[in-house]
Amino acid sequence: VQLVESGGGLVQPGGSLTLSCAASGFTFSNTYMTWVRQAPGKRLEWVAGIFPDGNITNYPAGVKGRFTISRDNAKNTVYLQMNNLKSEDTALYYCTTSAGPPYNPRGQGTQVTVSS
């Protein structure tokens, strides 16, 4: 299993970013995918999940309405569109194949920093 996250960066509060995760080494189109994040000194936090066909998505209350997870099974890629970003969204973001904890991120993650 290989997962490579990208798309992070520095953004002002209220701004937007789209993260990407390129997957390989497993049957992506059959796999539930999640995005999780870890802020400094904090535990991993689940932020989005998507079923294999892309038709059902799940979010915790803290990001619902601001984050959108999607996937392209032809490209073996999952995305996370993040709008109206807040300082508390600052974290290292990972995609995983875990439907629930422990999430055990395998990739390097991509850093998102929300600051003015």
Side-chain angles (χ1 to χ4, degrees):
V1 173
Q2 186 172 15
L3 300 166
V4 180
E5 302 91 348
S6 62
L10 174 64
V11 62
Q12 292 186 343
S16 298
L17 278 176
T18 299
L19 308 183
S20 300
C21 171
S24 60
F26 63 100
T27 306
F28 179 80
S29 59
N30 290 346
T31 304
Y32 185 93
M33 297 296 295
T34 59
W35 283 95
V36 298
R37 67 186 181 188
Q38 189 165 29
K42 295 190 176 182
R43 300 171 67 176
L44 275 172
E45 177 188 18
W46 166 68
V47 295
I50 186 166
F51 276 73
D53 62 5
N55 287 338
I56 300 175
T57 57
N58 300 298
Y59 308 92
V63 306
K64 196 170 187 178
R66 300 190 298 121
F67 288 12
T68 302
I69 187 171
S70 62
R71 66 194 294 158
D72 185 336
N73 286 345
K75 295 182 178 180
N76 283 7
T77 301
V78 61
Y79 306 95
L80 185 67
Q81 170 73 39
M82 305 184 294
N83 298 325
N84 190 23
L85 283 161
K86 305 175 181 181
S87 58
E88 53 262 42
D89 296 317
T90 295
L92 189 59
Y93 284 71
Y94 303 92
C95 63
T96 86
T97 59
S98 303
Y103 292 102
N104 297 326
R106 295 174 178 264
Q108 302 274 6
T110 186
Q111 178 67 40
V112 172
T113 302
V114 184
S115 175
S116 55

